[in-house]
Amino acid sequence: MEMKKKDIRALTKDQLREFFVKQGDKAFRGNQVYEWLWQKSAHSFEDMTNVSLETRQMLKDNFVINHIKVDQMQRSSDGTIKNAVRLHDDLIVESVLIPTATRTTACVSSQVGCSLDCKFCATAKLKRMRNLNPDEIYDQVVAIDNESRLYHNRPLSNIVFMGMGEPLMNYNNVLKAIDKITSPEGLGMSPKRIVVSTSGVPKMIKKMADDEVKFKLAVSLHSAIDEVRTSIMPFNSTFPLSDLRESLQHWYSKTKNRITYEYVVWEGINDKRKDVDALVEFCKFAPSKVNLIEYNPIDDGEFQQADSKALDMYVNILEANDITVTVRRSRGKDIDAACGQLANKS
Ligand code: SAH
């Protein structure tokens, strides 16, 4: 019976160098192969043309390269692209390319499904099947970078962890992927162009601050009133706003990085004056800004986007309190690629 081969990309560069030394080869061979695996994103050992045939065969006997495969690519009329990505165990996640005049942003997944239970999110209905490993996250970014060059004639400029899953529930792998993305031996992107978006896991926000990460933080707030937030994001009863607030203050004191709050205004849920006032108070705890995002309906109309009067009220009151606020339009709605719509529908 054949032994289960190891995923070669689970090895660090040093481990790869050691492997070659043990095989009686030069440590330098490890650097070469590492470069193929990461910088050049080789899909097979055959691609490694500066490595001898014999060595390539030896690698094939010992390892596999579990590369993702873009199963289906859909393009929206607004230039947005959605990839259905097949993993080595045939599970599927989705990632999205969002072009604007000045940037191309990759929206990537961190888990297959999601363990949180936000009532307004399509991914929540899938439950969590497993965490993505670092190379599965990295590969999504490479695939989008290639599509950006091909269809928009420019490299990828930004990354947001706003696809499927809760990145802070898969923190170690997300961090390893970001290390690769930002390393000159990977894609060499600046961490300032990466946003990790979380529903708000206080313990992990503190850990991230203590780890002195260099990327940016967005929090899906949606309400600054506990009862309201718990009704739409039930896990808020486990991580109440007071804990979240404290972790965000810790984040700011350590990183000096302003926080972005993502916020949808729904009719009859958080469209009243008291909701805005609570948000204003919450924003005062640490330097922050607010992104008002458009709601993308996911099913039977339990949730309705509030009307423009409610949105105007939010904008006016936030601005009167010197809080930066932007209103973000959704992209890629015709292909179910917008926020909260990723649910492997096709
Ligand atoms: N779990 C992470 C990242 C994935 S969600 C998080 O919660 O931040 C990415 C963003 O889309 C979050 O701000 C989320 O609140 C928002 N979102 C989810 N469902 C949505 C929907 N139907 N319409 C608009 N935004 C939605």
Side-chain angles (χ1 to χ4, degrees), residues 107 110 114 116 118 120-122 161-167 196-200 218-222 233 262-264 266 293-298 328 330 338-341:
C107 174
S110 55
C114 188
L116 298 181
C118 304
F120 47 82
C121 180
F161 281 80
M162 295 188 191
M164 294 174 161
E166 168 49 52
V196 169
S197 175
T198 176
S199 313
V219 175
S220 303
L221 192 60
H222 303 306
M233 304 167 84
E262 290 158 279
Y263 203 103
V264 177
W266 289 284
I293 54 186
E294 200 182 329
Y295 177 56
N296 304 303
I298 56 163
R328 253 186 13 209
S330 266
C339 278
Q341 290 193 317

Side-chain angles (χ1 to χ4, degrees), residues 203-264:
K203 196 175 85 191
M204 298 314 295
I205 292 174
K206 278 193 183 159
K207 169 141 183 48
M208 229 165 44
D210 292 336
D211 286 346
E212 294 179 20
V213 300
K214 298 284 183 287
F215 48 79
K216 292 185 179 166
L217 175 65
V219 175
S220 303
L221 192 60
H222 303 306
S223 175
I225 301 174
D226 268 314
E227 304 83 79
V228 178
R229 195 166 192 262
T230 298
S231 73
I232 52 178
M233 304 167 84
F235 65 87
N236 184 73
S237 61
T238 320
F239 312 124
L241 287 164
S242 53
D243 290 2
L244 179 59
R245 195 175 75 205
E246 193 204 327
S247 71
L248 292 171
Q249 284 170 325
H250 184 70
W251 163 268
Y252 187 78
S253 72
K254 284 269 176 168
T255 66
K256 293 287 172 281
N257 253 332
R258 166 164 99 150
I259 303 144
T260 299
Y261 296 124
E262 290 158 279
Y263 203 103
V264 177

Side-chain angles (χ1 to χ4, degrees), residues 31 54 66 133 218 240 342:
N31 299 14
E54 205 186 346
N66 280 336
N133 64 36
L342 302 183

Side-chain angles (χ1 to χ4, degrees), residues 73-119:
M73 189 198 83
Q74 287 172 277
R75 291 173 74 190
S76 158
S77 51
D78 67 14
T80 303
I81 293 175
K82 182 169 84 171
N83 291 332
V85 167
R86 186 177 294 274
L87 310 172
H88 66 86
D89 52 2
D90 280 339
L91 290 172
I92 308 265
V93 291
E94 294 176 330
S95 26
V96 183
L97 175 160
I98 307 148
T100 66
T102 51
R103 47 169 79 173
T104 342
T105 302
C107 174
V108 298
S109 295
S110 55
Q111 298 181 312
V112 189
C114 188
S115 59
L116 298 181
D117 45 10
C118 304
K119 299 289 184 211

